Amino acid sequence: MNSTRTEFSDERKQRLERLKAPEWDRPAVGLMLRYAWRNSLDTFATHDRPLTWLEVFPENYFRRGGARLANLLKLAEDFPITSHGVHLSVAGDALDDAYIDELAQFLEVIDAPWASDHLGVSVHKKKLLHEILPAVRSRESLARLSERLDLLRARMPCEFCLENAAYYMTPPGCTLSELEFLIQLIENDGLKLIFDVNNLWVNACNHDYDPNEFLAALPKRCVREIHIGGFSVDSQTGLFIDSHSAMPSPPVWHLLELALKRFGPVPVLLEIERDDVAPRGIRRALGRIYDTFEQARPS
Amino acid sequence: MGELDYIDEFVRLCTDAASVEDPALNFYVRAARGRKSGVLRAVFPTFMKRFKAQSKDLAQRYRDTDVSDPDWYRNARELLPIVDAMISTGELPAWSAALAKHEWTLFGVGLTSFDFPEESGSETRLNPSLDAIEYPYDLPRWFESSTPYPEHSPVNIGYYQHAQTLESRWIELTPARLAALRVVMEGLDPTDVAKLLGSDEDTIRTSIDQLKADGLIVENLQQN
């Protein structure tokens, strides 16, 4: 990896200040970067509703050279970039030392304010699963996660967070509910969440619980960043799927408002995993995030 | 670690194509299969389109391979031995190996960071990312035609990162281009090389200029 330190612009410094200390009248609104969008970012925002930061899947960049990494580093001159991985497999059978080293190096190069992955299993016996399977929610698993969070804190150059992943089955051996499991990690291990409101909705629908009660039970200061995206419905099983293939739906927008009321003006990131979305569609969705900050703002 | 036994079951179901009764596990299996096929389509776009009839079998065999590399795109090179195996059984034509290798090599040249003259301050030279491969089939002509398969005719192709854009590119290494590269590599006089090869000096000089424009011959950018 090209380890040349990026020269940061004044714009980037201002954006970073906003990202690190967002306020109700100065929210931080970000976008999960699709590589195809790298030259269109100006069209996604307006002067009074700017794009504050970008997030990337590190696995698409950190073992690359060439144009892909170079173009990301160019964007990093003007935008703070956070990392949202899928291959850490924090709840799996073992962590991969080489992966952690490479990720840490990548985070240094982009000067990431924080990084995250999913609370799940994506690698097993050194094989990629190509999906994120759910963590087994048990006391034993909590103890293992606690050790791993300590290890990650020691080896990452920035704060490390986990996302409440979507899950479509409850693995055998679970003795704790999703909420109990998360609260234990937050209260005992100081876990900061990437709180995905679309995942909250999808999980609530698939596992039949009240998302409002779930949200209200989470500690107030546990969220580093909120994710919002769209879901789809699997025609074969009827499961709600965290596919990011559509714009967020009305109940998910409502959960964003509730989450902002509960957690305060934390940074909010839009996740759309489609290259064919028109810029005005992205601009509208980012604008709606700004609107939701207005709605959630204490009077 | 007994509590992760269910992952073993997931892996087993992903690789033996057994019918999966549990609807949620069924979803996970389909999703993982779809992602693996997506990786093949991304790394081997022309190959997967050209051999659409075999794509299901290719994807299934790829899914059945052990992951030799934890990187989901780098691991796509596992398709190459699968293609060779399918050629040996007559399921794919012999020339398909050339197409698969071409697409893998073009992808692979973008996986490394190279030291270009802008950083090294060196003189005019050959692009350090160049990887040249000789194929028994004329892929460049086939890409431009609508024929169903390429002619059995040897061809040299060079793969490289453009020195300024760093985009991955390929170029047919014709005799004139190879002569131009030799001039640059060995610091020769184009007139001498033209005499030696019995070719036209202007053609070699034009090739050098064209290869500079294409980013295959790189100059110290700070001197320009």
Side-chain angles (χ1 to χ4, degrees), chain A residues 63-64 131 134 144 234, chain B residues 3 6 30 35 73-74:
Chain A
R63 300 184 73 206
R64 302 279 187 275
E131 250 302 324
R144 204 162 47 245
D234 180 47
Chain B
E3 72 175 24
Y6 91 100
R30 280 186 285 121
R35 283 211 170 84
Y73 287 118
R74 282 171 191 261

Side-chain angles (χ1 to χ4, degrees), chain B residues 185-206:
Chain B
M185 280 165 66
E186 299 178 20
L188 303 174
D189 185 328
T191 312
D192 295 340
V193 174
K195 278 182 190 166
L196 187 71
L197 299 177
S199 61
D200 180 55
E201 182 183 334
D202 286 345
T203 305
I204 292 177
R205 289 189 187 280
T206 304

Side-chain angles (χ1 to χ4, degrees), chain A residues 2 63-67 70 93 124-125 127-132 134 136 138 144 167-168 171 234 236-237 241, chain B residues 3-4 6-8 23-24 27-28 30-32 35-36 66 69-71 73-74 110-113 161 166:
Chain A
N2 182 347
R63 300 184 73 206
R64 302 279 187 275
D93 54 353
H124 187 61
K125 296 178 180 172
K127 286 185 179 181
L128 276 183
L129 300 178
H130 286 270
E131 250 302 324
I132 300 173
V136 175
S138 66
R144 204 162 47 245
Y167 62 103
Y168 309 108
D234 180 47
Q236 289 192 32
T237 58
I241 306 300
Chain B
E3 72 175 24
L4 289 176
Y6 91 100
I7 308 274
D8 286 320
F27 166 75
Y28 276 115
R30 280 186 285 121
R35 283 211 170 84
K36 288 179 182 177
D66 277 350
D69 193 302
D71 183 291
Y73 287 118
R74 282 171 191 261
L111 295 176
T112 307
S113 290
Q161 281 179 28
L166 306 187

